[in-house]
Amino acid sequence: MSIRIHHLNCGTMCPLCERLINGQGSWRKPGRLICHCLLIETPQALVMVDTGIGQHDIREPARRLGAGFLPLLRPQLRLAETAHAQITSLGYDPRDVRHIIPTHLDMDHAGGLSDFPDAQVHVFKPEMRAVLHPRRLDLVRFRQPQFEHKPHWVVHDTMTERWFDFDAIRPIQEMAADILIVPLIGHTEGHVGVAVKQGERWLLHCGDAYYHHSQVTATPQAPLGLKIFEAAVQTLRQPRLQNQARLRRLAADHGDEVELFCAHDPVELDRYTNAT
């Protein structure tokens, strides 16, 4: 079945020091990170993978994103970058977004959920548990104001199939498109990747399972600033490292069948948005 996939940047962030964040450039200029989201057009409905920073986050940034997030990541807070605005500019009706699959529910991935209040939101059970019963540190990353609209949660915990060397879940049974949840825990307890088949190839949105494109190559060389941040925000260190190693093997062994990208690397987004 033919589907169409749009790669969207739903939030630009400019933390200090381009060299430490992007691995090149100036020590004085800010870095650039993005919120790489997918809009998947299927015959039945529109499906989103992650939602980035939403309209309500821009109106109430401190309350919804958190006072710590704003000075550290320095989001640009542009309404035109929200998923809702971009979907409208592409000529679609945002009400046709019937399903959302977040890689996880950190504030920069789940902020746009409230812009699509009627959509079903598909989450891995450990992530839902952490949101519903947050520990103190979870309250920093899972911003409860972003969930005040009471999303239509659909919780998944049963692996339904095998995808390459990974267990996977098919979250939307009635949809003909091949869209799979692939657990990649570590960054959070319920962090997942989302695999989408387009033609003969798969795309795997890896969320925050890694941060820099080199981390899924044979010679990982992530910039120091990203490595420090990655370790600081991890929930489960050993599973995170193990899943990065598994993603490297997937890229090495099946690179002709699967393309990998993460949520925040602008180099990876440019592969798709700058393609001719």
Side-chain angles (χ1 to χ4, degrees):
M1 188 205 71
S2 177
I3 64 172
R4 188 176 183 188
I5 300 176
H6 302 269
H7 294 259
L8 311 177
N9 171 22
C10 296
T12 298
M13 298 171 285
C14 299
L16 294 175
C17 193
E18 184 181 30
R19 180 67 65 89
L20 287 176
I21 296 300
N22 299 109
Q24 58 186 2
S26 171
W27 292 98
R28 296 187 178 186
K29 292 181 180 178
R32 179 173 179 259
L33 300 174
I34 49 85
C35 296
H36 191 159
C37 303
L38 299 181
L39 175 68
I40 307 168
E41 181 184 354
T42 78
Q44 294 97 340
L46 299 177
V47 181
M48 284 212 68
V49 178
D50 279 350
T51 59
I53 294 171
Q55 296 180 111
H56 298 285
D57 300 328
I58 293 172
R59 297 183 184 117
E60 298 183 274
R63 191 174 81 91
R64 287 178 57 101
L65 295 171
F69 178 85
L70 297 173
L72 180 64
L73 277 303
R74 304 202 301 175
Q76 296 302 287
L77 302 178
R78 300 168 180 149
L79 273 172
E81 284 190 340
T82 63
H84 190 281
Q86 293 188 69
I87 288 169
T88 301
S89 69
L90 286 168
Y92 301 112
D93 187 337
R95 292 173 295 184
D96 288 334
V97 175
R98 308 260 175 81
H99 301 275
I100 299 172
I101 310 175
T103 59
H104 59 300
L105 294 170
D106 279 355
M107 74 286 283
D108 52 329
H109 296 256
L113 291 180
S114 55
D115 294 338
F116 309 97
D118 297 323
Q120 294 185 357
V121 183
H122 300 266
V123 296
F124 191 31
K125 187 175 182 178
E127 195 79 353
M128 191 80 267
R129 184 172 58 238
V131 168
L132 294 178
H133 306 287
R135 297 163 297 188
R136 191 162 81 173
L137 289 177
D138 290 334
L139 292 172
V140 176
R141 70 188 317 155
F142 302 133
R143 301 296 301 171
Q144 299 303 312
Q146 292 184 332
F147 311 130
E148 287 175 342
H149 68 290
K150 300 188 184 304
H152 298 287
W153 302 115
V154 182
V155 181
H156 302 273
D157 65 345
T158 303
M159 303 301 156
T160 57
E161 54 197 271
R162 194 75 174 162
W163 182 77
F164 294 97
D165 293 325
F166 296 81
D167 289 326
I169 300 166
R170 189 176 293 271
I172 313 169
Q173 294 292 336
E174 69 274 15
M175 189 166 286
D178 282 316
I179 303 175
L180 301 175
I181 289 174
V182 182
L184 295 172
I185 64 170
H187 178 69
T188 65
E189 289 186 47
H191 184 281
V192 302
V194 181
V196 186
K197 193 170 188 182
Q198 186 176 35
E200 297 301 313
R201 291 174 62 81
W202 287 90
L203 297 179
L204 179 62
H205 191 314
C206 298
D208 289 4
Y210 70 94
Y211 280 82
H212 188 263
H213 53 276
S214 75
Q215 290 179 288
V216 288
T217 71
T219 55
Q221 295 178 332
L224 179 60
L226 281 187
K227 290 174 68 175
I228 292 171
F229 182 76
E230 184 176 38
V233 297
Q234 69 189 358
T235 300
L236 301 166
R237 180 178 183 274
Q238 200 57 35
R240 178 181 69 80
L241 295 175
Q242 290 170 346
N243 278 318
Q244 273 192 10
R246 295 173 74 203
L247 291 173
R248 278 193 289 275
R249 289 195 298 270
L250 177 67
D253 297 343
H254 300 283
D256 57 337
E257 302 170 80
V258 187
E259 294 178 17
L260 282 67
F261 56 88
C262 67
H264 298 304
D265 190 335
V267 172
E268 292 181 328
L269 179 68
D270 285 348
R271 287 185 208 154
Y272 303 100
T273 56
N274 289 344
T276 56

